[in-house]
Amino acid sequence: MKRFLTVLFIVISLVPSVFAQGRTETVFTQEIFAMDTYMSVKCYGKEAEEAAMAAVREIQRLDSLLSTGKETSEVSRVNSSGSAVLTGDMKELMELSLMAYEKTSGAFDATIFPLMELWGFSSKEFRVPGKEEIEETLKKTGSDKLSYDSESGKLVLGESQRLDFGGIAKGYTSMKLKEVFSSFDIDGAIVSLGGNVQTYGAKPDGSPWRCGIQDPFSSSGQSVIAAIEADNLAVITSGSYERFFTGEDGKTYHHIIDPSTGYPAESDLVSVTIVSKNGAEADALSTACFVMGKEKAVKLWQDSGREYEMILITKDGTLHITGGLKDSFQTNSKFEIIY
Amino acid sequence: MTTSGKKKADIILIAALLLAALLFLLFQLFSRQSGAVVKVSVGGEVVKELSLSRNQRYEIGGVNGGFNTLVIENGQAWIEDADCPDALCVHMGKISFEGQSIVCLPHQVVVTVEGSSSESSLDAVAK
Ligand SMILES: [Zn+2]
């Protein structure tokens, strides 16, 4: 009888676990087209719907503030007048951008918009500019040519300079979404802002969030080269495969412009992924590290106290992964761990 | 307890175990079959959900009056044709795993594979 009871107990305890698989956790997904890309917000928990809707409103608010394409945006107003007293998000973004500019020795620069325009990356009417044109445009770029006082928020742009927070805006938005989520009763959330991923809280089944890294060598862009576990982190990738065109000379030109030369960055990297608690920094660093190349990117990581993690993919297809990720990544490709 | 009583208890026990196993198997089978769905959304609104296991074609009407032709065949989904200016969606290849998606920015069309949950599935892809 004792044995019978034991088995009965096992059977009974099995039943709920079987049905638990079918139980649906409150999940709410919102999709939105903003900041010239596709974004999705997925929330789990009691107030999933409210949280996702609030996230969408926050995205729209920041989009209308930061869009260089809308004349009424805060950024456009600053650009047309050449000076302004910055407050709130604009002030925060300006300071984050200048910090990234300093930290990366100019590899990240929020004033390269005229170069993006020259190459046609903003209008999608691509063309290869002449050497003189590039030199002429380089005179308008460089955050060292603007003056900014963090005390008062007073910004004065240099001659014909134009500001564009595009290289940091999505990462900044994901940071702000964490704040939005924290004011709702939700268990977890995952956001993809045009491929910039941010996780928040816990997944309903208790397992870690799993984030794939796009394979830069896949022509369709539908395969992943690695996967990492990322809880409460931003995972942001920049790669030359994202946007590029073939010039009349038959050469391929990608969209990551080196602020020091005005040409697409010629680095040994094809993709850079930054994993960080700070989305804005991850966004700026992913672009900057691509421009800097592997050696300088690794040095920057070591010098900055290893406060974020990286996956650098070199042209030969090797993944260079920083030590902090070594227990949480998977790949079938050749890799090395950097310390 | 008599010998026959013990036997009877054993039979009930085995029957109960078998039933539990059967239940479990059925459930697994059921949840697998109800798996992969291809979700189509336009401008952020879900307009259609199609089974990935049924071969079919579906004409998606984009936000600017354009079209994207979705084809589902042998467990794979792709955009065969579209009249968007960049045709990037047509070049995005075939999708079949949960979390994979095809996006057409000009038409604000997103095609996503959902619900074929497996251990190795991803929650998102950084790109
Ligand atoms: Zn398209």
Side-chain angles (χ1 to χ4, degrees):
Chain A
M1 202 55 191
K2 208 173 173 186
R3 188 154 53 121
F4 173 73
L5 283 176
T6 313
V7 174
L8 196 70
F9 176 74
I10 294 170
V11 170
I12 289 171
S13 59
L14 247 173
V15 171
S17 77
V18 166
F19 286 104
Q21 287 192 308
R23 198 192 61 198
T24 48
E25 164 93 8
T26 315
V27 50
F28 196 81
T29 309
Q30 275 286 290
E31 289 174 348
I32 164 177
F33 287 82
M35 300 183 182
D36 298 319
T37 189
Y38 159 69
M39 302 181 165
S40 72
V41 177
K42 193 175 195 174
C43 296
Y44 297 90
K46 217 168 141 202
E47 295 185 316
E49 181 169 355
E50 292 87 338
M53 300 302 279
V56 166
R57 284 194 299 274
E58 179 69 352
I59 290 169
Q60 285 166 335
R61 185 185 69 83
L62 289 168
D63 190 18
S64 57
L65 200 70
L66 306 176
S67 169
T68 50
K70 290 175 194 147
E71 275 177 39
T72 53
S73 77
E74 201 69 29
V75 165
S76 294
R77 286 225 294 268
V78 171
N79 282 338
S80 61
S81 74
S83 69
V85 176
L86 305 182
T87 56
D89 296 291
M90 290 290 286
K91 187 170 192 289
E92 225 177 306
L93 278 159
M94 189 71 237
E95 284 162 21
L96 284 164
S97 296
L98 289 176
M99 236 157 63
Y101 178 80
E102 292 285 319
K103 189 170 181 168
T104 63
S105 313
F108 174 85
D109 192 339
T111 67
I112 63 157
F113 193 66
L115 282 168
M116 297 299 279
E117 261 184 332
L118 186 64
W119 284 88
F121 284 113
S122 50
S123 62
K124 284 174 190 140
E125 279 158 29
F126 310 114
R127 68 184 196 96
V128 184
K131 204 163 174 273
E132 302 76 34
E133 278 179 287
I134 287 180
E135 272 163 17
E136 207 49 44
T137 310
L138 277 173
K139 288 180 188 162
K140 301 181 203 167
T141 63
S143 293
D144 52 342
K145 296 188 185 89
L146 59 80
S147 78
Y148 175 70
D149 177 43
S150 61
E151 204 64 23
S152 61
K154 174 87 178 158
L155 166 76
V156 181
L157 292 173
E159 180 75 27
S160 340
Q161 269 203 310
R162 287 175 72 191
L163 215 52
D164 175 21
F165 293 126
I168 198 168
K170 292 192 213 85
Y172 179 80
T173 303
S174 73
M175 245 168 70
K176 291 284 144 183
L177 292 186
K178 281 199 297 186
E179 287 172 25
V180 169
F181 292 146
S182 68
S183 61
F184 290 94
D185 181 10
I186 58 168
D187 303 322
I190 186 160
V191 178
S192 169
L193 310 177
N196 291 12
V197 178
Q198 171 79 53
T199 66
Y200 173 85
K203 226 164 106 175
D205 64 1
S207 67
W209 295 105
R210 273 169 56 82
C211 180
I213 309 297
Q214 182 169 329
D215 182 352
F217 303 104
S218 137
S219 57
S220 67
Q222 288 299 353
S223 42
V224 297
I225 198 161
I228 56 165
E229 291 172 0
D231 278 352
N232 288 306
L233 289 167
V235 183
I236 299 185
T237 302
S238 279
S240 46
Y241 59 85
E242 289 173 293
R243 256 187 296 159
F244 58 85
F245 71 97
T246 308
E248 281 169 12
D249 53 2
K251 270 180 74 179
T252 307
Y253 298 91
H254 64 77
H255 75 295
I256 306 178
I257 303 289
D258 183 339
S260 68
T261 64
Y263 283 89
E266 283 193 40
S267 93
D268 51 352
L269 300 171
V270 283
S271 136
V272 173
T273 300
I274 305 288
V275 183
S276 170
K277 284 195 162 58
N278 183 330
E281 187 181 66
D283 204 355
L285 282 176
S286 67
T287 317
C289 289
F290 187 97
V291 170
M292 294 160 82
K294 179 179 163 258
E295 208 184 303
K296 282 186 186 163
V298 170
K299 180 142 196 321
L300 178 66
W301 173 71
Q302 290 164 339
D303 290 348
S304 63
R306 296 170 169 80
E307 55 184 7
Y308 53 91
E309 303 296 335
M310 309 189 285
I311 298 175
L312 308 175
I313 306 178
T314 39
K315 281 179 173 157
D316 65 351
T318 308
L319 276 64
H320 309 266
I321 301 164
T322 54
L325 292 175
K326 75 177 191 318
D327 297 321
S328 67
F329 84 95
Q330 276 178 301
T331 185
N332 292 323
S333 296
K334 201 171 86 186
F335 69 90
E336 62 152 10
I337 307 283
I338 34 182
Y339 293 99
Chain B
M1 198 182 263
T2 63
T3 322
S4 72
K6 216 176 197 174
K7 237 182 203 155
K8 202 174 166 191
D10 276 347
I11 289 167
I12 296 172
L13 188 156
I14 289 162
L17 264 178
L18 279 174
L19 189 75
L22 194 74
L23 242 168
F24 190 75
L25 264 173
L26 268 175
F27 194 88
Q28 290 278 310
L29 220 67
F30 176 74
S31 57
R32 196 165 301 158
Q33 276 179 351
S34 68
V37 163
V38 178
K39 195 186 78 185
V40 180
S41 73
V42 178
E45 300 286 323
V46 179
V47 295
K48 196 87 185 166
E49 286 193 351
L50 304 158
S51 166
L52 187 60
S53 48
R54 231 191 87 213
N55 292 356
Q56 55 197 308
R57 303 170 76 84
Y58 178 69
E59 190 97 339
I60 307 166
V63 286
N64 298 321
F67 74 91
N68 302 66
T69 309
L70 172 68
V71 178
I72 300 176
E73 221 173 274
N74 304 323
Q76 291 183 310
W78 69 93
I79 302 290
E80 190 186 67
D81 192 19
D83 62 351
C84 52
D86 55 12
L88 284 176
C89 52
V90 180
H91 298 294
M92 279 195 186
K94 300 179 174 181
I95 57 172
S96 54
F97 301 111
E98 179 171 19
Q100 282 186 313
S101 59
I102 297 171
V103 180
C104 176
L105 280 178
H107 292 171
Q108 302 199 350
V109 166
V110 184
V111 178
T112 324
V113 178
E114 282 197 346
S116 61
S117 54
S118 69
E119 292 268 308
S120 62
S121 71
L122 297 167
D123 298 304
V125 175
K127 45 183 127 185

